Amino acid sequence: MEMETHSKRRQSSQEDLLADDDRSLGCCGWTLVILAGVLAILPPFCLISVFCCFKIVKEYERAVIFRLGRIVDKKPKGPGIFVILPCTDSMVKVDLRTVSFDIPPQEILTKDSVTVCVDGVVYFRVSDPIKSVANVSNADFATRLLAQTTLRNMLGTKNLAEVLSDRETIAHGMQSTLDDATDQWGIKVERVEIKDVKLPLQLQRAMAAEAEATREARAKVIAAEGEMNASRALKEASLVIAESPSALQLRYLQTLSTIAAEKNSTIVFPLPMDMMSQFMRK
């Protein structure tokens, strides 16, 4: 609440200053303005004033007018054609189109002491041309520097797992932080994206080895579970065959038909263990 009250007071004070611009010109200021208007009307200077006084601003641009160094109106001029006074008025054009720039790769130490290299992209536009001209010398350059600092501060409080998995959350947090900080500059941050997270080569190898070991352990567990289920099925099958001796003979014939279907030249004939035991006793 205190921050909102302070911002409202600051905004109202700026509006009051803008409203008092025309009244604070003074006698000398008004004298110069009247002389500039008279010079623009005189016949010798009419042709020159046509080129100096009439200005055209495109649809995506706005013009901030300074009269004797002070901002004239609360709202910028444009788009279209308008008139300024020679010698006393100056104009600054502001582009309202969305601008994008890449955040240079930043080497960041995460919360769990891992060094990563992160880059991103920021989309912003000028929402208030008067603030972008009067409150900051170069709004574009200031936004770029602030984006780099915000990226480093934001990722410095995250673990490596959070940096790799929660990119959207980090991007939204950066957007809100940048938008609040650049509001007094007349800048609206529309979107922030984390492009790439580069890990050290040794860390990549360690993570790959860990993932491979995890997959191998999972495969061994699955294979062991399959062997256990197969042994249970074989046990149940042996109990069924033990109850009916003819079932073993049918199983033997089925195995022979399977072997014959594969065009094999070798056929194995199993012998009963009882017969073999008699030969072994002799």
Side-chain angles (χ1 to χ4, degrees), residues 220-237:
K220 290 180 180 179
V221 171
I222 294 173
E225 291 178 353
E227 292 290 338
M228 182 177 62
N229 295 331
S231 62
R232 289 177 180 177
L234 290 174
K235 180 182 177 181
E236 294 177 358

Side-chain angles (χ1 to χ4, degrees), residues 60 68 119 184 199 254:
Y60 55 84
L68 297 177
D119 58 354
Q184 59 182 348
L199 303 177
Q254 184 179 3

Side-chain angles (χ1 to χ4, degrees), residues 102-108 116-120 148 151-152 196 198:
D102 292 329
I103 302 176
Q106 305 290 317
E107 291 188 358
I108 300 168
V116 295
C117 188
V118 184
D119 58 354
Q148 298 178 21
L151 178 63
R152 300 173 72 93
D196 190 15
K198 297 181 180 179

Side-chain angles (χ1 to χ4, degrees), residues 118-121 151 155 167 170-171 174 192-197:
V118 184
D119 58 354
V121 61
L151 178 63
L155 296 183
R167 294 190 182 185
I170 296 173
M174 283 188 59
V192 177
E193 292 291 341
I194 304 298
K195 292 176 60 178
D196 190 15
V197 179

Side-chain angles (χ1 to χ4, degrees), residues 173-199:
M174 283 188 59
Q175 179 182 352
S176 61
T177 303
L178 286 173
D179 197 15
D180 294 338
T182 57
D183 182 63
Q184 59 182 348
W185 300 341
I187 300 296
K188 173 64 178 177
V189 178
E190 296 181 341
R191 190 178 182 87
V192 177
E193 292 291 341
I194 304 298
K195 292 176 60 178
D196 190 15
V197 179
K198 297 181 180 179
L199 303 177

Side-chain angles (χ1 to χ4, degrees), residues 99-104 124 139-149:
V99 180
S100 63
F101 66 89
D102 292 329
I103 302 176
F124 72 94
D140 181 85
F141 184 69
T143 305
R144 293 173 185 266
L145 293 181
L146 184 61
Q148 298 178 21
T149 306

